[in-house]
């Protein structure tokens, strides 16, 4: 190493340089005392010094061996390097997360931009259509008036001409004073003149000239001025917090409540709603309890849930798919308040680990319009039979497949079900991030799926369908797209990326189009297999063309689309263009009522089979929505059924999510 020369004005604090000396290697050389090697370290000045320095200005300063100090600082530097490097995985994870958020943000922006153009294009078309209708109406209305008035005018002009003509003939006879002409004129014209003089004529107008245009321009202008809103918040998960007794404990079968308060990056309270919040309650083995999130529109949200059995649970609360402060929380569920030992929020904050399963729902309803029990499973429904079962169909359980686990033929929170003409049964195994395939007799055949957020990977698959060409279509809830695989499970393509917010169920219509039920967006999308959007319909609400957490879809022989509307406790039917046709169902436990419907299928006769999640039963309706019967599941009761399908041999397959299995029942069509 080359020697570093000290500058002429070097101070005593800079009195050492590196220099190569014969037989001494690289050493610290004192610049104040040429040729002297620094072997000590002045602790007061924090600098290396030679022996001559210690006899001079550093004589009274404490010192230590330079070698010891170098070793200490070397160790300290290494510790700091290691500490800094330990931050790199966190930084890389944060960078990856931010890149994903930026990508999703750009996708959302592009999607919304397209929606804005599309919406205003539709408005232009609507305005042009209305313009044409008004012009046509003007033409027709004025034409009818003109026809009446013109006919009246023509009649009067004809009468005028007849009178003038006959009067002219008579005048010539009178002026000639020819008696023979007068007699002949009286004979020929006199009678006619009398008729003309006495004939009733339409002398009063038979129409009017009123043609006015009434246009509510100002109201329309105001509506257009306020048309559309870009909805967002500044809420971040790291600052958002939760409170309430439901964070720590609850009683079996009784609703528990948690209040979620959203905050921005500085900790300030967000004062608007519409944040995307998800909640899940699950046991260590993956059992899941659903609930409802109510948006108070002031930055706070209420999560209400009911758990059906006692034990230790995990309560995970997420904002934009990220855990909020302290999440996941430890939850103790007991049979009575006395059984509940006190817990602390600190223990909850220290808890780790949660299942990825569970329902993710959010509601945009105002506090004044919501029902506190809405969308929550009742205490008795999941274990007892409904109160009003009349004239049951004598169907039996054929077989059940599955237990809790991650191996072949085992499930963790299974959701969607599909059956194909080849006799295969497909199960969307949500928390195991895969699709499992069985024969019609329940024999395991294969499975595919790898957890991840890249194309071809799965992150909580919830819906599955089979295209007529054999392709397997999967709704990937957390990846926010729909993946298409070959019949052998090889990835082919994805669709809906950037448009979908939380695809839950998928189906295929008579045209081969892919129907996607977006649970979060409360919208039904229809795509071509190529990914081109055909149409979409629905929004959040309780109207006929609105949804509140829709789940699954089915298509009948008329190519009509049937949707289960989870929080509205109803089933709705639309045509292929998304026009509303009918709905049926209401909240309750009676025949034809629902407590949050999920899976749906249609038989060859057009009858509609619905999985009644909260009441843990399967009901059958005719094509007009009239209750027919239910499938007898008393021998092996369901616990929160999800997806539903009909096999090629006419049996009903249902995903019994709470029991971690699927069941096949006889079904009398």
């Amino acid at each position: 190493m080359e020697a570093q020369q000290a500058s002429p004005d070097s101070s005593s604090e800079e009195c050492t340089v590196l220099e190569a000396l014969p037989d001494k290697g690289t050493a610290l050389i004192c610049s104040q005392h040429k040729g002297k090697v620094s072997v000590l370290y002045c602790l007061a000045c924090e600098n290396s010094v030679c022996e001559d320095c210690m006899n001079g200005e550093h004589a009274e300063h404490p010192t230590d061996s330079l070698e010891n100090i170098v070793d200490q600082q070397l160790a300290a530097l290494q510790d700091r390097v290691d500490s800094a490097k330990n931050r790199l995985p966190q930084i890389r994870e944060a960078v990856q997360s931010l890149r994903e958020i930026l990508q999703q943000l750009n996708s959302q922006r592009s999607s919304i931009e397209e929606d804005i153009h599309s919406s205003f294009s539709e408005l232009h078309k609507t305005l042009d259509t209305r313009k044409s209708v008004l012009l046509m109406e003007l033409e027709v209305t004025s034409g009818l008036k003109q026809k009446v008035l013109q006919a009246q005018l023509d009649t009067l002009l004809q009468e005028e001409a007849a009178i003038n003509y006959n009067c002219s003939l008579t005048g010539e006879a009178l002026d000639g004073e020819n008696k023979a002409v007068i007699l002949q004129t009286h004979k020929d014209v006199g009678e006619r003149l009398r008729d003309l003089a006495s004939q009733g004529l339409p002398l009063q107008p038979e129409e009017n000239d009123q043609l006015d245009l009434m246009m509510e321009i100002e109201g329309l202008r105001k509506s257009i001025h306020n048309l559309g809103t870009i909805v967002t918040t500044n809420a971040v998960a790291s600052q958002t917090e939760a409170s309430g007794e439901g964070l720590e404990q609850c009683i079996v079968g009784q609703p528990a409540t948690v209040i979620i308060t959203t905050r921005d990056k500085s900790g300030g309270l967000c004062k608007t709603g519409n944040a995307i919040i998800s909640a899940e309650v699950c046991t260590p083995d993956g059992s899941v309890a659903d609930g409802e999130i109510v948006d108070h529109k002031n930055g706070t949200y209420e999560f209400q849930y009911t758990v059906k059995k006692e034990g230790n649970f995990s309560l995970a609360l997420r904002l934009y798919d990220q855990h909020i402060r302290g999440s996941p929380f430890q939850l103790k569920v007991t049979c009575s308040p006395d059984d509940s030992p006190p817990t602390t929020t600190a223990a909850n904050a220290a808890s780790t680990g949660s299942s990825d399963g569970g329902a993710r729902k959010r509601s945009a309803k105002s506090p004044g319009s919501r029902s506190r029990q809405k969308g929550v499973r009742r205490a008795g429904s999941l274990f007892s039979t409904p109160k009003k079962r009349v004239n049951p169909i004598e169907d039996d359980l054929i077989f059940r497949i599955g237990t809790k686990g991650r191996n072949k033929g085992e499930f963790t929170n299974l959701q969607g079900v599909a059956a194909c003409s080849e006799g295969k049964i497909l199960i969307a195994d949500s928390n195991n991030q895969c699709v499992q395939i069985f024969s019609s007799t329940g024999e395991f055949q294969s499975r595919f799926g790898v957890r991840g957020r890249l194309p071809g990977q799965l992150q909580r698959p919830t819906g599955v369908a089979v295209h007529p060409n054999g392709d397997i279509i999967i709704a990937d809830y957390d990846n926010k797209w729909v993946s298409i695989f070959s019949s052998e499970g090889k990835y082919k393509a994805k669709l809906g990326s950037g448009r979908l917010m939380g695809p839950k169920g998928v189906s295929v219509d008579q045209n081969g189009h892919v129907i996607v039920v977006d649970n979060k967006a409360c919208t039904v999308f229809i795509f071509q297999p190529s990914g081109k959007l055909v149409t979409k319909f629905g929004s959040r609400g309780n109207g006929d063309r609105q949804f509140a957490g829709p789940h699954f879809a089915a298509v009948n022989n008329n190519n009509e689309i049937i949707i289960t509307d989870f929080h509205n406790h109803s089933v709705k039917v639309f045509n292929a263009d998304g026009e509303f046709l009918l709905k049926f169902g209401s909240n309750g436990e009676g025949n034809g009522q629902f407590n949050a419907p999920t899976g749906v299928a249609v038989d060859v006769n057009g009858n509609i089979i619905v999985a009644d999640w909260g009441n843990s039963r399967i009901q059958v309706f005719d094509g007009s929505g009239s209750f027919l019967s239910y499938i007898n599941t008393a021998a092996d009761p369901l616990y929160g059924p999800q997806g539903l399908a009909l096999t090629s041999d006419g049996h009903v397959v249902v995903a019994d999510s709470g029991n971690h299995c699927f069941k096949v029942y006889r079904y009398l069509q």
Side-chain angles (χ1 to χ4, degrees):
M1 179 180 292
E2 295 182 1
Q4 294 185 4
Q5 300 297 328
S7 61
D9 59 346
S10 295
S11 65
S12 61
E13 285 79 8
E14 299 173 337
C15 65
T16 57
V17 295
L18 283 173
E19 185 174 322
L21 295 179
D23 302 325
K24 293 185 179 181
T26 301
L28 283 172
I29 305 302
C30 180
S31 62
Q32 299 297 319
H33 305 92
K34 189 171 182 179
K36 295 290 184 178
V37 177
S38 297
V39 294
L40 298 174
Y41 187 84
C42 179
L43 299 177
C45 300
E46 295 184 348
N47 206 353
S48 59
V49 294
C50 67
E51 292 181 353
D52 290 352
C53 292
M54 294 303 303
N55 295 326
E57 59 181 298
H58 295 279
E60 303 298 326
H61 296 176
T63 61
D64 195 355
S65 166
L66 179 61
E67 185 176 352
N68 290 340
I69 297 299
V70 169
D71 290 342
Q72 292 175 13
Q73 293 190 357
L74 179 64
L77 283 173
Q78 187 62 51
D79 288 342
R80 292 175 184 178
V81 169
D82 292 341
S83 297
K85 286 184 177 180
N86 288 337
R87 294 298 304 275
L88 290 177
Q90 299 174 341
I91 292 173
R92 293 188 184 109
E93 184 178 353
V95 167
Q96 179 63 26
S97 176
L98 287 174
R99 283 174 175 167
E100 290 178 358
I101 293 173
L102 282 170
Q103 182 180 7
Q104 183 65 18
L105 178 66
N106 290 330
S107 297
Q108 287 291 94
R109 180 188 61 79
S110 299
S111 176
I112 291 175
E113 184 178 0
E114 183 177 340
D115 286 343
I116 291 173
H117 286 300
S118 175
S119 297
F120 278 86
S121 177
E122 290 297 322
L123 282 176
H124 281 299
K125 291 179 182 178
T126 302
L127 286 172
D128 288 340
T129 300
R130 184 57 184 163
K131 174 183 175 182
S132 299
V133 169
L134 283 174
L135 290 173
M136 183 178 296
E137 185 179 343
L138 174 63
E139 183 177 355
V140 171
T141 303
S142 63
L144 290 174
K145 284 179 171 287
Q146 187 175 21
K147 184 176 181 180
V148 171
L149 292 171
Q150 188 63 49
Q152 182 181 5
L153 178 61
D154 291 343
T155 298
L156 292 176
L157 290 175
Q158 289 175 3
E159 292 299 319
E160 181 184 19
I163 291 173
N164 288 334
Y165 174 73
N166 287 285
C167 287
S168 175
L169 289 178
T170 305
E172 292 177 358
L174 292 174
D175 292 339
E177 297 183 357
N178 187 319
K179 294 179 180 179
V181 173
I182 292 174
L183 290 174
Q184 187 61 39
T185 300
H186 183 274
K187 180 179 180 181
D188 295 338
V189 183
E191 193 69 25
R192 197 181 308 157
L193 285 172
R194 184 173 64 185
D195 292 341
L196 290 171
S198 61
Q199 184 175 348
L201 297 175
L203 300 177
Q204 299 301 320
E206 296 178 348
E207 252 297 356
N208 58 63
D209 59 355
Q210 182 184 10
L211 279 175
D212 294 322
L213 176 63
M214 295 183 63
M215 292 278 284
E216 296 294 337
I217 296 295
E218 191 58 34
L220 180 61
R221 186 179 290 113
K222 289 181 179 179
S223 297
I224 293 176
H225 180 75
N226 297 314
L227 181 62
T229 302
I230 304 301
V231 177
T232 188
T233 73
N234 293 322
V236 295
S238 60
Q239 298 292 336
T240 295
E241 54 197 11
S243 60
E245 293 184 357
L247 275 181
E248 301 175 346
Q249 61 187 31
C250 72
I251 310 302
V252 172
Q254 295 185 14
T257 300
V258 174
I259 300 299
I260 303 162
T261 303
T262 55
R263 298 184 181 277
D264 61 24
K265 65 178 181 180
S266 302
L269 178 65
C270 295
K271 298 182 180 180
T272 59
N274 298 305
I276 300 178
I277 294 177
S278 63
E280 55 192 9
V281 180
C282 51
T283 62
D285 65 359
S287 299
V288 175
D290 268 301
E292 182 190 21
I293 295 177
V294 177
D295 186 349
H296 289 175
K297 297 299 183 181
N298 61 359
T300 65
Y301 303 78
E302 181 178 340
F303 173 53
Q304 188 179 84
Y305 64 93
T306 302
V307 182
K308 300 304 174 184
K309 58 183 179 181
E310 61 181 330
N312 294 316
F313 286 71
S314 173
L315 170 58
L317 299 174
R318 293 182 177 90
L319 174 69
Y320 301 112
D321 289 333
Q322 296 181 348
H323 284 286
I324 69 170
R325 181 184 296 178
S327 175
F329 302 91
Q330 295 177 351
L331 177 64
K332 180 74 173 179
V333 182
T334 59
C335 290
S336 67
D338 296 336
D339 297 334
S340 228
T343 58
T344 63
T345 304
N348 274 333
S351 64
T352 59
S354 72
S355 170
D356 287 332
R360 301 178 173 221
K361 303 175 180 66
R362 61 191 174 98
S363 171
K365 295 173 288 190
S366 63
S369 64
R370 64 184 177 87
S371 167
R372 293 186 63 82
Q373 295 290 338
K374 191 169 186 181
V376 183
R377 294 190 285 191
R378 294 197 172 95
S381 299
L382 292 175
F383 295 107
S384 61
T385 57
K387 298 178 180 178
K388 296 182 180 180
R389 288 191 168 179
V390 182
N391 190 27
I393 297 177
E394 295 300 330
D395 291 345
D396 297 317
L397 175 69
I398 301 175
F399 60 82
R400 60 175 285 171
I401 299 294
T403 57
K404 169 63 182 171
R406 299 189 179 278
N407 297 318
K408 298 175 181 179
E410 297 177 342
F411 306 101
T412 307
N413 190 27
L414 66 168
Q415 297 269 317
V417 177
C420 62
S421 57
E422 289 80 10
K424 296 180 181 179
I425 298 172
L426 294 84
I427 306 293
D429 192 1
S430 181
N431 285 16
N432 286 334
Q433 321 296 342
C434 69
V435 170
Q436 300 199 45
I437 303 176
F438 299 81
S439 70
S440 60
T441 57
E443 297 174 352
F444 175 83
Q445 293 186 339
S446 64
R447 72 175 181 178
F448 64 90
V450 177
R451 179 173 183 168
R453 295 190 176 274
L454 298 176
Q457 297 177 328
L458 299 177
Q459 193 74 19
R460 199 166 163 225
T462 53
V464 61
V466 180
H467 196 274
N469 64 13
D471 286 344
I472 300 172
I473 302 166
I474 301 173
D476 195 334
Y477 194 91
D478 283 351
N479 277 333
K480 300 179 178 64
W481 62 55
V482 171
S483 294
I484 300 178
F485 293 81
S486 70
S487 57
E488 292 80 24
K490 294 182 179 179
Y491 175 73
K492 297 178 69 174
K494 68 176 181 177
L495 55 86
S497 179
R499 292 182 180 272
L500 302 174
M501 296 177 62
K504 173 77 173 182
V506 287
S507 187
V508 181
D509 68 9
Q510 304 289 339
N511 300 317
H513 295 153
V514 178
I515 299 168
V516 183
V517 181
D518 194 326
N519 175 267
K520 283 188 177 181
C522 293
T523 302
V524 176
F525 292 82
I526 302 179
F527 295 94
Q528 293 180 358
S530 63
K532 181 179 180 181
L533 180 65
V534 177
T535 188
K536 65 177 182 177
F537 59 91
S539 60
R540 182 176 297 278
N542 55 13
D544 289 343
R545 297 188 76 253
Q546 294 180 309
F547 304 103
H551 267 49
F552 292 98
V555 179
N556 63 20
N557 290 332
N558 296 325
N559 208 30
E560 295 168 345
I561 303 169
I562 303 160
I563 306 293
T564 52
D565 195 353
F566 190 85
H567 288 303
N568 283 331
H569 309 288
S570 61
V571 175
K572 297 177 179 177
V573 184
F574 302 82
N575 67 14
D577 296 322
E579 295 179 357
F580 173 79
L581 299 178
L582 65 96
K583 71 175 179 179
F584 58 91
S586 60
N587 191 12
E589 296 185 359
N591 294 334
Q593 292 184 308
F594 301 112
N595 189 2
T598 48
V600 61
V602 184
D603 68 19
V604 294
N605 298 316
N607 295 322
I608 302 171
I609 309 159
V610 183
D612 190 356
W613 178 83
N615 290 325
S616 283
R617 62 184 178 180
I618 301 172
Q619 299 192 73
V620 184
F621 301 81
D622 66 16
S624 64
S626 297
F627 173 78
L628 295 178
S629 54
Y630 62 90
I631 292 178
N632 190 348
T633 61
D636 190 0
L638 299 170
Y639 183 34
Q642 287 274 357
L644 195 72
L646 274 173
T647 65
S648 56
D649 50 1
H651 299 322
V652 169
V653 186
V654 60
D656 192 355
S657 184
N659 288 321
H660 309 293
C661 68
F662 72 87
K663 297 175 180 177
V664 178
Y665 293 92
R666 292 186 182 89
Y667 173 67
L668 304 179
Q669 300 193 40

